[in-house]
Amino acid sequence: MFVALLLTLLIGYGIGFAVAKLIFKQNVIASAIAALGVSFSAGPFFGPAVLGKIYGAEKSGVAISLISLVLNVVIIPLTTTVIKIELQRKTTQHISVGKLVGNSVFQAIFKTPYVWAPLLGIILVFLDFKIPVVASASLNLIGETTTGVAVFVAGMTIANNKFQINSVTLILTILKNVGLPILFLGVAFLLRIVPGSMFFNQGLLLAALPTGPMMVLLATRYKEFQKEASSILVLSTIGMLITVTGLILILHI
């Protein structure tokens, strides 16, 4: 499932970037944020509520962990790297491509807390690193609030931006809610994942979940694509009621 989710989200990212850049003539930063919106699955946010109710916390936990891994290790760092490269290119003259990319990757990963913090957590989990109980309890308390805080910040951003329904927001929302699940079907077919199996169904549902607040947070930080990002988040979340419900009925789960 990891490879299927990884390929699906990477291809979805490329499609989202191409559509925003070539069709809607957005700049590189806005296109990167749009691509994040198309490829981002809110599995860490809605996964426990959707998959957990169907398969139980234990069986759904693996799928949710895998989608979180792909997002935090690949998709979000990729987006921040693309943005940093473009910012470096605009502000720095006469610099080699290698140095430009190297500086951008360093800033995107090591100077961006929402990138390196999840990566550090994943590494510590794989190393089976034990931290003191006091520190663990404090981190758990912080972790339990992160989803709510992210949604709150995204909601405040949406409230400050005029809701838009236009060709940009509609097409990118359709790419996310409909295109990404279709893309997963194609990847699953190529990887010969058995249709109807638990991994197949969970991956398909994760792909059909709406985009997450990360695109809104990045849009706010870099002052690009703000109104569109807020609108796509709203449309994608509302659209989930149709796509996810439809998939549950089709899959008979």
Side-chain angles (χ1 to χ4, degrees), residues 135-174:
S136 177
S138 300
L139 292 174
N140 284 335
L141 184 61
I142 295 173
E144 290 172 357
T145 65
T146 53
T147 300
V149 171
V151 174
F152 174 78
V153 172
M156 292 295 293
T157 305
I158 292 171
N160 289 329
N161 290 288
K162 185 178 179 180
F163 180 72
Q164 295 181 339
I165 297 181
N166 52 36
S167 58
V168 176
T169 58
L170 281 177
I171 290 178
L172 291 177
T173 300
I174 292 172

Side-chain angles (χ1 to χ4, degrees), residues 184-185 188-189 191-201 204 251:
F184 178 83
L185 288 175
F189 175 78
L191 295 179
R192 298 185 178 181
I193 299 177
V194 180
S197 65
M198 184 178 70
F199 286 153
F200 178 90
N201 293 345
L204 188 57
L251 296 173

Side-chain angles (χ1 to χ4, degrees), residues 8-9 11-17 19-20 31-41 75 168 171-177 179-181 183 207 209-212 215 232:
T8 299
L9 268 57
I11 297 172
Y13 188 94
I15 294 173
F17 189 92
V19 169
S31 297
I33 295 171
L36 176 65
V38 171
S39 61
F40 194 100
S41 167
I75 301 300
V168 176
I171 290 178
L172 291 177
T173 300
I174 292 172
L175 283 176
K176 169 65 202 76
N177 285 38
L180 205 66
L183 188 57
L209 290 176
T211 191
M215 72 175 303
I232 291 170

Side-chain angles (χ1 to χ4, degrees), residues 184-247:
F184 178 83
L185 288 175
V187 172
F189 175 78
L190 292 176
L191 295 179
R192 298 185 178 181
I193 299 177
V194 180
S197 65
M198 184 178 70
F199 286 153
F200 178 90
N201 293 345
Q202 287 183 346
L204 188 57
L205 287 173
L206 285 172
L209 290 176
T211 191
M214 182 56 71
M215 72 175 303
V216 178
L217 300 181
L218 286 180
T220 302
R221 175 172 181 177
Y222 295 105
K223 308 299 180 184
E224 293 278 359
F225 210 64
Q226 289 178 268
K227 294 181 179 179
E228 294 87 350
S230 301
S231 302
I232 291 170
L233 178 60
V234 173
L235 290 172
S236 178
T237 303
I238 296 173
M240 176 187 73
L241 299 175
I242 300 173
T243 54
V244 173
T245 303
L247 282 177

